[in-house]
Amino acid sequence: MNNIELNKARAVYYGLFSSLFSYINSEKEFNEIKKSIELLSQVPIDENSKISFEELNSFLEEKGMTGLIEENNQIFFSPSTTFIPVTASFYNEDRDDGHKRVEMTSIVLKSTFRKDNTTFKEAEDHICFIFSFIQKLLEEDYSKINNELIIETFSVVLNSFIDSFIQDVYNHEESKFYKNIAIILKVFIELERALLNIEKPTEHKVRKQHDIFHKKKKGFTKKAKRNFDEVTSL
């Protein structure tokens, strides 16, 4: 596989993860997710991801858009289930809008892309924005492997918390479809580390506030609406 083919596949992976960890509420979004999974399942990275892709396709065939949206809400937006942080700041500093957001914003300002505040209300160190930003950088020039901004985004921001995030998604009590996504993401992240020559950080210490959220459950089940769109070019 040459650089262009490799980077196109990487961009599809990053775009898929960005979509899956945001709020899914339209048939268009569902169809794009389904199409990406079908495409990537044709050339899985390893045997573990091959099995996971097969289970994802079976899930979507059986439960369709309703099943995916329901699980997406139960894992990421319902206050009645275990809370999963979605920002680098929360995993590193026990709160949103911390130093990691500043670092991520500084990286974005070095690029030709900016966050579209009219459609995406979350912070720059939100997992969806990070994935979407890297996807855009790849799409900007498919021929480059050593894209400095991708390496900086991965090594400075994403690498610091992605393993804890994957573990949270995999272990969530409502995770079925997303358990397989966590497996695929873990395999993909290890491949990215090898490709970008970035070492896995030493074991991330889960902070106190994170433990508190994982012990408490609330009784309210109303869905929370979040607006998300990708970064836009200048």
Side-chain angles (χ1 to χ4, degrees):
M1 183 180 289
N2 60 39
N3 287 354
I4 293 177
E5 291 174 338
L6 175 61
N7 283 336
K8 284 183 177 179
R10 293 171 67 206
V12 175
Y13 269 105
Y14 278 113
L16 173 63
F17 294 133
S18 178
S19 297
L20 284 169
F21 299 133
S22 65
Y23 184 60
I24 304 167
N25 66 347
S26 74
E27 187 170 357
K28 180 183 177 183
E29 291 170 324
F30 171 75
N31 288 334
E32 289 176 352
I33 288 170
K34 191 171 184 290
K35 182 180 177 181
S36 295
I37 290 173
E38 290 173 349
L39 177 65
L40 295 173
S41 65
Q42 295 175 18
V43 191
I45 296 173
D46 67 357
E47 188 62 26
N48 288 326
S49 38
K50 177 184 177 183
I51 295 170
S52 290
F53 272 124
E54 290 173 352
E55 294 184 4
L56 291 180
N57 283 320
S58 296
F59 179 100
L60 294 177
E61 186 69 27
E62 179 184 350
K63 300 188 177 181
M65 177 176 169
T66 302
L68 175 58
I69 289 177
E70 182 176 345
E71 187 169 323
N72 171 271
N73 275 283
Q74 286 298 311
I75 294 177
F76 297 106
F77 304 106
S78 173
S80 68
T81 61
T82 301
F83 169 73
I84 294 182
V86 287
T87 68
S89 290
F90 206 106
Y91 278 98
N92 286 277
E93 302 157 59
D94 210 20
R95 68 182 180 90
D96 289 327
D97 299 323
H99 188 61
K100 284 297 174 186
R101 180 180 186 182
V102 176
E103 291 180 329
M104 185 63 201
T105 302
S106 297
I107 295 171
V108 173
L109 292 176
K110 297 176 185 177
S111 76
T112 58
F113 301 104
R114 296 292 183 270
K115 189 179 75 168
D116 185 351
N117 290 311
T118 62
T119 55
F120 184 66
K121 307 297 183 184
E122 308 293 350
E124 286 81 358
D125 64 336
H126 190 287
I127 186 77
C128 296
F129 185 85
I130 296 170
F131 284 147
S132 184
F133 179 64
I134 295 177
Q135 178 193 13
K136 292 300 179 188
L137 292 175
L138 285 166
E139 291 174 345
E140 194 174 38
D141 185 356
Y142 283 125
S143 68
K144 294 172 64 177
I145 287 293
N146 295 317
N147 185 310
E148 292 182 0
L149 285 181
I150 292 178
I151 294 173
E152 186 175 359
T153 302
F154 197 107
S155 60
V156 174
V157 184
L158 188 61
N159 203 35
S160 68
F161 76 102
I162 189 61
D163 296 291
S164 297
F165 176 77
I166 291 171
Q167 184 176 348
D168 285 347
V169 173
Y170 184 86
N171 290 330
H172 195 278
E173 70 271 19
E174 297 292 336
S175 186
K176 300 177 183 65
F177 178 90
Y178 277 89
K179 193 179 288 290
N180 285 300
I181 292 298
I183 292 171
I184 293 169
L185 178 56
K186 180 178 176 58
V187 172
F188 177 72
I189 290 297
E190 291 303 327
L191 183 67
E192 285 291 277
R193 283 181 174 134
L195 185 68
L196 302 175
N197 195 26
I198 297 172
E199 292 186 1
K200 182 178 180 177
T202 56
E203 186 174 356
H204 191 277
K205 179 176 174 55
V206 179
R207 296 174 67 87
K208 183 178 179 180
Q209 186 76 4
H210 183 264
D211 285 339
I212 292 173
F213 274 114
H214 272 255
K215 289 177 181 177
K216 289 186 176 181
K217 295 181 182 179
K218 300 176 183 178
F220 184 61
T221 59
K222 184 177 180 180
K223 298 176 182 177
K225 177 73 173 72
R226 286 187 176 182
N227 295 319
F228 172 74
D229 202 351
E230 297 175 344
V231 292
T232 58
S233 57
L234 290 174

